[in-house]
PDB file of all heavy atoms in Angstrom:
ATOM      1  N   GLU A1152       9.899 -30.954   9.127  1.00  0.00           N
ATOM      2  CA  GLU A1152      10.340 -31.919   8.122  1.00  0.00           C
ATOM      3  C   GLU A1152       9.414 -33.134   8.089  1.00  0.00           C
ATOM      4  O   GLU A1152       9.100 -33.656   7.017  1.00  0.00           O
ATOM      5  CB  GLU A1152      11.778 -32.353   8.406  1.00  0.00           C
ATOM      6  CG  GLU A1152      12.450 -33.133   7.289  1.00  0.00           C
ATOM      7  CD  GLU A1152      12.646 -32.317   6.022  1.00  0.00           C
ATOM      8  OE1 GLU A1152      12.663 -31.069   6.115  1.00  0.00           O
ATOM      9  OE2 GLU A1152      12.773 -32.922   4.931  1.00  0.00           O
ATOM     10  N   ILE A1153       8.967 -33.605   9.249  1.00  0.00           N
ATOM     11  CA  ILE A1153       8.027 -34.728   9.301  1.00  0.00           C
ATOM     12  C   ILE A1153       6.736 -34.366   8.569  1.00  0.00           C
ATOM     13  O   ILE A1153       6.183 -35.171   7.814  1.00  0.00           O
ATOM     14  CB  ILE A1153       7.720 -35.125  10.758  1.00  0.00           C
ATOM     15  CG1 ILE A1153       8.965 -35.761  11.409  1.00  0.00           C
ATOM     16  CG2 ILE A1153       6.556 -36.122  10.814  1.00  0.00           C
ATOM     17  CD1 ILE A1153       8.794 -36.042  12.900  1.00  0.00           C
ATOM     18  N   ARG A1154       6.264 -33.152   8.796  1.00  0.00           N
ATOM     19  CA  ARG A1154       5.032 -32.694   8.127  1.00  0.00           C
ATOM     20  C   ARG A1154       5.219 -32.699   6.605  1.00  0.00           C
ATOM     21  O   ARG A1154       4.332 -33.136   5.861  1.00  0.00           O
ATOM     22  CB  ARG A1154       4.672 -31.297   8.629  1.00  0.00           C
ATOM     23  CG  ARG A1154       3.312 -30.803   8.135  1.00  0.00           C
ATOM     24  CD  ARG A1154       2.956 -29.458   8.767  1.00  0.00           C
ATOM     25  NE  ARG A1154       2.601 -29.605  10.178  1.00  0.00           N
ATOM     26  CZ  ARG A1154       3.300 -29.079  11.183  1.00  0.00           C
ATOM     27  NH1 ARG A1154       4.390 -28.365  10.950  1.00  0.00           N
ATOM     28  NH2 ARG A1154       2.905 -29.261  12.439  1.00  0.00           N
ATOM     29  N   LEU A1155       6.360 -32.229   6.133  1.00  0.00           N
ATOM     30  CA  LEU A1155       6.640 -32.202   4.700  1.00  0.00           C
ATOM     31  C   LEU A1155       6.689 -33.613   4.126  1.00  0.00           C
ATOM     32  O   LEU A1155       6.108 -33.887   3.067  1.00  0.00           O
ATOM     33  CB  LEU A1155       7.966 -31.479   4.443  1.00  0.00           C
ATOM     34  CG  LEU A1155       8.454 -31.427   2.990  1.00  0.00           C
ATOM     35  CD1 LEU A1155       7.475 -30.657   2.122  1.00  0.00           C
ATOM     36  CD2 LEU A1155       9.849 -30.792   2.911  1.00  0.00           C
ATOM     37  N   VAL A1156       7.372 -34.530   4.815  1.00  0.00           N
ATOM     38  CA  VAL A1156       7.492 -35.907   4.347  1.00  0.00           C
ATOM     39  C   VAL A1156       6.122 -36.594   4.353  1.00  0.00           C
ATOM     40  O   VAL A1156       5.814 -37.383   3.464  1.00  0.00           O
ATOM     41  CB  VAL A1156       8.513 -36.693   5.208  1.00  0.00           C
ATOM     42  CG1 VAL A1156       8.495 -38.180   4.844  1.00  0.00           C
ATOM     43  CG2 VAL A1156       9.921 -36.126   5.008  1.00  0.00           C
ATOM     44  N   PHE A1157       5.296 -36.288   5.345  1.00  0.00           N
ATOM     45  CA  PHE A1157       3.940 -36.838   5.385  1.00  0.00           C
ATOM     46  C   PHE A1157       3.183 -36.468   4.110  1.00  0.00           C
ATOM     47  O   PHE A1157       2.539 -37.315   3.481  1.00  0.00           O
ATOM     48  CB  PHE A1157       3.196 -36.325   6.622  1.00  0.00           C
ATOM     49  CG  PHE A1157       1.767 -36.807   6.712  1.00  0.00           C
ATOM     50  CD1 PHE A1157       1.460 -37.976   7.393  1.00  0.00           C
ATOM     51  CD2 PHE A1157       0.731 -36.103   6.111  1.00  0.00           C
ATOM     52  CE1 PHE A1157       0.143 -38.435   7.486  1.00  0.00           C
ATOM     53  CE2 PHE A1157      -0.580 -36.557   6.190  1.00  0.00           C
ATOM     54  CZ  PHE A1157      -0.869 -37.712   6.876  1.00  0.00           C
ATOM     55  N   LEU A1158       3.245 -35.205   3.720  1.00  0.00           N
ATOM     56  CA  LEU A1158       2.544 -34.743   2.520  1.00  0.00           C
ATOM     57  C   LEU A1158       3.126 -35.383   1.263  1.00  0.00           C
ATOM     58  O   LEU A1158       2.392 -35.705   0.322  1.00  0.00           O
ATOM     59  CB  LEU A1158       2.617 -33.221   2.420  1.00  0.00           C
ATOM     60  CG  LEU A1158       1.843 -32.446   3.497  1.00  0.00           C
ATOM     61  CD1 LEU A1158       2.183 -30.958   3.448  1.00  0.00           C
ATOM     62  CD2 LEU A1158       0.338 -32.658   3.325  1.00  0.00           C
ATOM     63  N   GLN A1159       4.448 -35.578   1.229  1.00  0.00           N
ATOM     64  CA  GLN A1159       5.083 -36.234   0.091  1.00  0.00           C
ATOM     65  C   GLN A1159       4.725 -37.711   0.012  1.00  0.00           C
ATOM     66  O   GLN A1159       4.754 -38.307  -1.066  1.00  0.00           O
ATOM     67  CB  GLN A1159       6.608 -36.094   0.173  1.00  0.00           C
ATOM     68  CG  GLN A1159       7.135 -34.703  -0.170  1.00  0.00           C
ATOM     69  CD  GLN A1159       8.650 -34.679  -0.091  1.00  0.00           C
ATOM     70  OE1 GLN A1159       9.253 -34.328   0.926  1.00  0.00           O
ATOM     71  NE2 GLN A1159       9.280 -35.096  -1.156  1.00  0.00           N
ATOM     72  N   THR A1160       4.394 -38.304   1.144  1.00  0.00           N
ATOM     73  CA  THR A1160       4.095 -39.734   1.192  1.00  0.00           C
ATOM     74  C   THR A1160       2.621 -40.019   0.942  1.00  0.00           C
ATOM     75  O   THR A1160       2.277 -40.939   0.190  1.00  0.00           O
ATOM     76  CB  THR A1160       4.510 -40.323   2.551  1.00  0.00           C
ATOM     77  OG1 THR A1160       5.895 -40.034   2.804  1.00  0.00           O
ATOM     78  CG2 THR A1160       4.299 -41.836   2.579  1.00  0.00           C
ATOM     79  N   PHE A1161       1.744 -39.236   1.555  1.00  0.00           N
ATOM     80  CA  PHE A1161       0.312 -39.533   1.528  1.00  0.00           C
ATOM     81  C   PHE A1161      -0.526 -38.520   0.754  1.00  0.00           C
ATOM     82  O   PHE A1161      -1.717 -38.729   0.557  1.00  0.00           O
ATOM     83  CB  PHE A1161      -0.216 -39.648   2.962  1.00  0.00           C
ATOM     84  CG  PHE A1161       0.476 -40.693   3.785  1.00  0.00           C
ATOM     85  CD1 PHE A1161       1.410 -40.349   4.751  1.00  0.00           C
ATOM     86  CD2 PHE A1161       0.222 -42.044   3.581  1.00  0.00           C
ATOM     87  CE1 PHE A1161       2.060 -41.298   5.510  1.00  0.00           C
ATOM     88  CE2 PHE A1161       0.870 -43.014   4.342  1.00  0.00           C
ATOM     89  CZ  PHE A1161       1.790 -42.636   5.307  1.00  0.00           C
ATOM     90  N   GLY A1162       0.088 -37.427   0.321  1.00  0.00           N
ATOM     91  CA  GLY A1162      -0.645 -36.423  -0.431  1.00  0.00           C
ATOM     92  C   GLY A1162      -1.358 -35.416   0.460  1.00  0.00           C
ATOM     93  O   GLY A1162      -1.229 -35.427   1.686  1.00  0.00           O
ATOM     94  N   THR A1163      -2.128 -34.538  -0.154  1.00  0.00           N
ATOM     95  CA  THR A1163      -2.803 -33.465   0.556  1.00  0.00           C
ATOM     96  C   THR A1163      -3.782 -33.992   1.609  1.00  0.00           C
ATOM     97  O   THR A1163      -4.398 -35.041   1.436  1.00  0.00           O
ATOM     98  CB  THR A1163      -3.557 -32.550  -0.418  1.00  0.00           C
ATOM     99  OG1 THR A1163      -4.225 -31.506   0.321  1.00  0.00           O
ATOM    100  CG2 THR A1163      -4.584 -33.324  -1.232  1.00  0.00           C
ATOM    101  N   THR A1164      -3.922 -33.241   2.682  1.00  0.00           N
ATOM    102  CA  THR A1164      -4.846 -33.615   3.753  1.00  0.00           C
ATOM    103  C   THR A1164      -6.260 -33.090   3.515  1.00  0.00           C
ATOM    104  O   THR A1164      -7.176 -33.411   4.262  1.00  0.00           O
ATOM    105  CB  THR A1164      -4.352 -33.071   5.100  1.00  0.00           C
ATOM    106  OG1 THR A1164      -4.286 -31.632   5.039  1.00  0.00           O
ATOM    107  CG2 THR A1164      -2.973 -33.630   5.423  1.00  0.00           C
ATOM    108  N   TRP A1165      -6.452 -32.306   2.485  1.00  0.00           N
ATOM    109  CA  TRP A1165      -7.751 -31.688   2.248  1.00  0.00           C
ATOM    110  C   TRP A1165      -8.866 -32.713   2.026  1.00  0.00           C
ATOM    111  O   TRP A1165     -10.015 -32.464   2.355  1.00  0.00           O
ATOM    112  CB  TRP A1165      -7.672 -30.730   1.059  1.00  0.00           C
ATOM    113  CG  TRP A1165      -7.037 -29.426   1.428  1.00  0.00           C
ATOM    114  CD1 TRP A1165      -5.703 -29.197   1.583  1.00  0.00           C
ATOM    115  CD2 TRP A1165      -7.693 -28.198   1.732  1.00  0.00           C
ATOM    116  NE1 TRP A1165      -5.473 -27.897   1.962  1.00  0.00           N
ATOM    117  CE2 TRP A1165      -6.695 -27.252   2.054  1.00  0.00           C
ATOM    118  CE3 TRP A1165      -9.018 -27.793   1.754  1.00  0.00           C
ATOM    119  CZ2 TRP A1165      -6.984 -25.938   2.413  1.00  0.00           C
ATOM    120  CZ3 TRP A1165      -9.311 -26.470   2.110  1.00  0.00           C
ATOM    121  CH2 TRP A1165      -8.292 -25.571   2.429  1.00  0.00           C
ATOM    122  N   CYS A1166      -8.489 -33.842   1.443  1.00  0.00           N
ATOM    123  CA  CYS A1166      -9.487 -34.873   1.182  1.00  0.00           C
ATOM    124  C   CYS A1166      -9.515 -35.955   2.264  1.00  0.00           C
ATOM    125  O   CYS A1166     -10.211 -36.958   2.130  1.00  0.00           O
ATOM    126  CB  CYS A1166      -9.251 -35.516  -0.184  1.00  0.00           C
ATOM    127  SG  CYS A1166      -7.607 -36.213  -0.385  1.00  0.00           S
ATOM    128  N   MET A1167      -8.750 -35.765   3.348  1.00  0.00           N
ATOM    129  CA  MET A1167      -8.717 -36.735   4.437  1.00  0.00           C
ATOM    130  C   MET A1167      -9.779 -36.409   5.474  1.00  0.00           C
ATOM    131  O   MET A1167     -10.190 -35.257   5.635  1.00  0.00           O
ATOM    132  CB  MET A1167      -7.342 -36.753   5.112  1.00  0.00           C
ATOM    133  CG  MET A1167      -6.211 -37.253   4.222  1.00  0.00           C
ATOM    134  SD  MET A1167      -4.635 -37.313   5.129  1.00  0.00           S
ATOM    135  CE  MET A1167      -3.505 -37.834   3.822  1.00  0.00           C
ATOM    136  N   ASP A1168     -10.206 -37.421   6.212  1.00  0.00           N
ATOM    137  CA  ASP A1168     -11.108 -37.206   7.338  1.00  0.00           C
ATOM    138  C   ASP A1168     -10.425 -36.342   8.384  1.00  0.00           C
ATOM    139  O   ASP A1168      -9.226 -36.535   8.680  1.00  0.00           O
ATOM    140  CB  ASP A1168     -11.513 -38.536   7.970  1.00  0.00           C
ATOM    141  CG  ASP A1168     -12.426 -39.358   7.060  1.00  0.00           C
ATOM    142  OD1 ASP A1168     -13.262 -38.766   6.374  1.00  0.00           O
ATOM    143  OD2 ASP A1168     -12.280 -40.593   7.048  1.00  0.00           O
ATOM    144  N   ASP A1169     -11.163 -35.403   8.945  1.00  0.00           N
ATOM    145  CA  ASP A1169     -10.525 -34.485   9.893  1.00  0.00           C
ATOM    146  C   ASP A1169     -10.210 -35.126  11.238  1.00  0.00           C
ATOM    147  O   ASP A1169      -9.594 -34.484  12.093  1.00  0.00           O
ATOM    148  CB  ASP A1169     -11.378 -33.222  10.095  1.00  0.00           C
ATOM    149  CG  ASP A1169     -12.777 -33.519  10.614  1.00  0.00           C
ATOM    150  OD1 ASP A1169     -13.037 -34.663  11.025  1.00  0.00           O
ATOM    151  OD2 ASP A1169     -13.631 -32.606  10.592  1.00  0.00           O
ATOM    152  N   ASP A1170     -10.614 -36.382  11.435  1.00  0.00           N
ATOM    153  CA  ASP A1170     -10.218 -37.099  12.640  1.00  0.00           C
ATOM    154  C   ASP A1170      -9.236 -38.234  12.331  1.00  0.00           C
ATOM    155  O   ASP A1170      -9.112 -39.183  13.106  1.00  0.00           O
ATOM    156  CB  ASP A1170     -11.434 -37.643  13.395  1.00  0.00           C
ATOM    157  CG  ASP A1170     -12.349 -38.500  12.537  1.00  0.00           C
ATOM    158  OD1 ASP A1170     -12.167 -38.526  11.298  1.00  0.00           O
ATOM    159  OD2 ASP A1170     -13.255 -39.143  13.116  1.00  0.00           O
ATOM    160  N   MET A1171      -8.527 -38.129  11.188  1.00  0.00           N
ATOM    161  CA  MET A1171      -7.491 -39.098  10.859  1.00  0.00           C
ATOM    162  C   MET A1171      -6.394 -39.060  11.922  1.00  0.00           C
ATOM    163  O   MET A1171      -6.004 -37.986  12.389  1.00  0.00           O
ATOM    164  CB  MET A1171      -6.875 -38.773   9.489  1.00  0.00           C
ATOM    165  CG  MET A1171      -5.849 -39.808   8.982  1.00  0.00           C
ATOM    166  SD  MET A1171      -4.205 -39.775   9.739  1.00  0.00           S
ATOM    167  CE  MET A1171      -3.614 -38.149   9.285  1.00  0.00           C
ATOM    168  N   SER A1172      -5.893 -40.224  12.272  1.00  0.00           N
ATOM    169  CA  SER A1172      -4.767 -40.277  13.204  1.00  0.00           C
ATOM    170  C   SER A1172      -3.951 -41.529  12.956  1.00  0.00           C
ATOM    171  O   SER A1172      -4.460 -42.539  12.465  1.00  0.00           O
ATOM    172  CB  SER A1172      -5.246 -40.243  14.662  1.00  0.00           C
ATOM    173  OG  SER A1172      -5.868 -41.455  15.025  1.00  0.00           O
ATOM    174  N   MET A1173      -2.683 -41.443  13.291  1.00  0.00           N
ATOM    175  CA  MET A1173      -1.787 -42.598  13.213  1.00  0.00           C
ATOM    176  C   MET A1173      -0.696 -42.419  14.264  1.00  0.00           C
ATOM    177  O   MET A1173      -0.186 -41.322  14.491  1.00  0.00           O
ATOM    178  CB  MET A1173      -1.182 -42.737  11.805  1.00  0.00           C
ATOM    179  CG  MET A1173      -0.525 -41.477  11.276  1.00  0.00           C
ATOM    180  SD  MET A1173      -0.255 -41.402   9.488  1.00  0.00           S
ATOM    181  CE  MET A1173       0.623 -42.884   9.133  1.00  0.00           C
ATOM    182  N   VAL A1174      -0.361 -43.507  14.923  1.00  0.00           N
ATOM    183  CA  VAL A1174       0.654 -43.455  15.967  1.00  0.00           C
ATOM    184  C   VAL A1174       1.537 -44.681  15.857  1.00  0.00           C
ATOM    185  O   VAL A1174       1.064 -45.790  15.569  1.00  0.00           O
ATOM    186  CB  VAL A1174       0.020 -43.339  17.375  1.00  0.00           C
ATOM    187  CG1 VAL A1174      -0.914 -44.516  17.647  1.00  0.00           C
ATOM    188  CG2 VAL A1174       1.079 -43.236  18.462  1.00  0.00           C
ATOM    189  N   TYR A1175       2.834 -44.461  16.076  1.00  0.00           N
ATOM    190  CA  TYR A1175       3.798 -45.563  16.009  1.00  0.00           C
ATOM    191  C   TYR A1175       4.533 -45.640  17.342  1.00  0.00           C
ATOM    192  O   TYR A1175       5.100 -44.662  17.827  1.00  0.00           O
ATOM    193  CB  TYR A1175       4.798 -45.342  14.866  1.00  0.00           C
ATOM    194  CG  TYR A1175       5.547 -46.597  14.466  1.00  0.00           C
ATOM    195  CD1 TYR A1175       5.088 -47.379  13.404  1.00  0.00           C
ATOM    196  CD2 TYR A1175       6.689 -47.011  15.144  1.00  0.00           C
ATOM    197  CE1 TYR A1175       5.755 -48.527  13.018  1.00  0.00           C
ATOM    198  CE2 TYR A1175       7.354 -48.177  14.778  1.00  0.00           C
ATOM    199  CZ  TYR A1175       6.891 -48.931  13.714  1.00  0.00           C
ATOM    200  OH  TYR A1175       7.547 -50.087  13.330  1.00  0.00           O
ATOM    201  N   TYR A1176       4.507 -46.839  17.934  1.00  0.00           N
ATOM    202  CA  TYR A1176       5.206 -47.096  19.191  1.00  0.00           C
ATOM    203  C   TYR A1176       6.517 -47.827  18.872  1.00  0.00           C
ATOM    204  O   TYR A1176       6.525 -48.993  18.499  1.00  0.00           O
ATOM    205  CB  TYR A1176       4.340 -47.941  20.127  1.00  0.00           C
ATOM    206  CG  TYR A1176       3.048 -47.264  20.533  1.00  0.00           C
ATOM    207  CD1 TYR A1176       1.881 -47.440  19.788  1.00  0.00           C
ATOM    208  CD2 TYR A1176       3.001 -46.453  21.654  1.00  0.00           C
ATOM    209  CE1 TYR A1176       0.707 -46.819  20.148  1.00  0.00           C
ATOM    210  CE2 TYR A1176       1.818 -45.827  22.033  1.00  0.00           C
ATOM    211  CZ  TYR A1176       0.685 -46.012  21.274  1.00  0.00           C
ATOM    212  OH  TYR A1176      -0.494 -45.386  21.636  1.00  0.00           O
ATOM    213  N   TYR A1177       7.625 -47.122  19.021  1.00  0.00           N
ATOM    214  CA  TYR A1177       8.943 -47.711  18.773  1.00  0.00           C
ATOM    215  C   TYR A1177       9.355 -48.592  19.951  1.00  0.00           C
ATOM    216  O   TYR A1177       9.932 -49.656  19.776  1.00  0.00           O
ATOM    217  CB  TYR A1177       9.978 -46.607  18.549  1.00  0.00           C
ATOM    218  CG  TYR A1177       9.662 -45.710  17.366  1.00  0.00           C
ATOM    219  CD1 TYR A1177       8.861 -44.574  17.530  1.00  0.00           C
ATOM    220  CD2 TYR A1177      10.149 -45.985  16.108  1.00  0.00           C
ATOM    221  CE1 TYR A1177       8.563 -43.743  16.468  1.00  0.00           C
ATOM    222  CE2 TYR A1177       9.861 -45.151  15.027  1.00  0.00           C
ATOM    223  CZ  TYR A1177       9.065 -44.035  15.221  1.00  0.00           C
ATOM    224  OH  TYR A1177       8.761 -43.219  14.157  1.00  0.00           O
ATOM    225  N   THR A1178       9.097 -48.098  21.136  1.00  0.00           N
ATOM    226  CA  THR A1178       9.284 -48.841  22.384  1.00  0.00           C
ATOM    227  C   THR A1178       8.079 -48.524  23.266  1.00  0.00           C
ATOM    228  O   THR A1178       7.152 -47.833  22.839  1.00  0.00           O
ATOM    229  CB  THR A1178      10.584 -48.427  23.110  1.00  0.00           C
ATOM    230  OG1 THR A1178      10.461 -47.062  23.550  1.00  0.00           O
ATOM    231  CG2 THR A1178      11.803 -48.545  22.176  1.00  0.00           C
ATOM    232  N   GLU A1179       8.076 -49.005  24.484  1.00  0.00           N
ATOM    233  CA  GLU A1179       6.955 -48.746  25.384  1.00  0.00           C
ATOM    234  C   GLU A1179       6.776 -47.261  25.665  1.00  0.00           C
ATOM    235  O   GLU A1179       5.656 -46.783  25.850  1.00  0.00           O
ATOM    236  CB  GLU A1179       7.147 -49.510  26.701  1.00  0.00           C
ATOM    237  CG  GLU A1179       6.959 -51.016  26.572  1.00  0.00           C
ATOM    238  CD  GLU A1179       7.027 -51.716  27.907  1.00  0.00           C
ATOM    239  OE1 GLU A1179       7.203 -51.019  28.929  1.00  0.00           O
ATOM    240  OE2 GLU A1179       6.908 -52.955  27.953  1.00  0.00           O
ATOM    241  N   ASP A1180       7.873 -46.512  25.699  1.00  0.00           N
ATOM    242  CA  ASP A1180       7.772 -45.093  26.054  1.00  0.00           C
ATOM    243  C   ASP A1180       8.273 -44.141  24.973  1.00  0.00           C
ATOM    244  O   ASP A1180       8.400 -42.940  25.229  1.00  0.00           O
ATOM    245  CB  ASP A1180       8.511 -44.823  27.375  1.00  0.00           C
ATOM    246  CG  ASP A1180       9.943 -45.336  27.386  1.00  0.00           C
ATOM    247  OD1 ASP A1180      10.385 -45.920  26.368  1.00  0.00           O
ATOM    248  OD2 ASP A1180      10.627 -45.149  28.409  1.00  0.00           O
ATOM    249  N   ILE A1181       8.554 -44.646  23.771  1.00  0.00           N
ATOM    250  CA  ILE A1181       8.921 -43.782  22.649  1.00  0.00           C
ATOM    251  C   ILE A1181       7.870 -43.939  21.558  1.00  0.00           C
ATOM    252  O   ILE A1181       7.711 -45.026  20.988  1.00  0.00           O
ATOM    253  CB  ILE A1181      10.317 -44.122  22.075  1.00  0.00           C
ATOM    254  CG1 ILE A1181      11.400 -43.887  23.127  1.00  0.00           C
ATOM    255  CG2 ILE A1181      10.601 -43.299  20.817  1.00  0.00           C
ATOM    256  CD1 ILE A1181      11.644 -42.439  23.472  1.00  0.00           C
TER     257      ILE A1181
END
């Protein structure tokens, strides 16, 4: 479901850099 929502939010990955990354820290260990 996260993968589907990602595509709905940001569009296809075909035109993205293959080293794209994003990380969210909710707490120190989550």
Side-chain angles (χ1 to χ4, degrees):
E1152 192 65 22
I1153 291 174
R1154 188 175 287 115
L1155 177 63
V1156 172
F1157 178 91
L1158 292 170
Q1159 286 181 266
T1160 305
F1161 302 104
T1163 179
T1164 61
W1165 282 78
C1166 56
M1167 294 183 183
D1168 291 323
D1169 59 11
D1170 54 349
M1171 185 284 298
S1172 71
M1173 52 198 307
V1174 58
Y1175 197 95
Y1176 298 91
Y1177 300 88
T1178 66
E1179 289 185 1
D1180 52 359
I1181 297 290

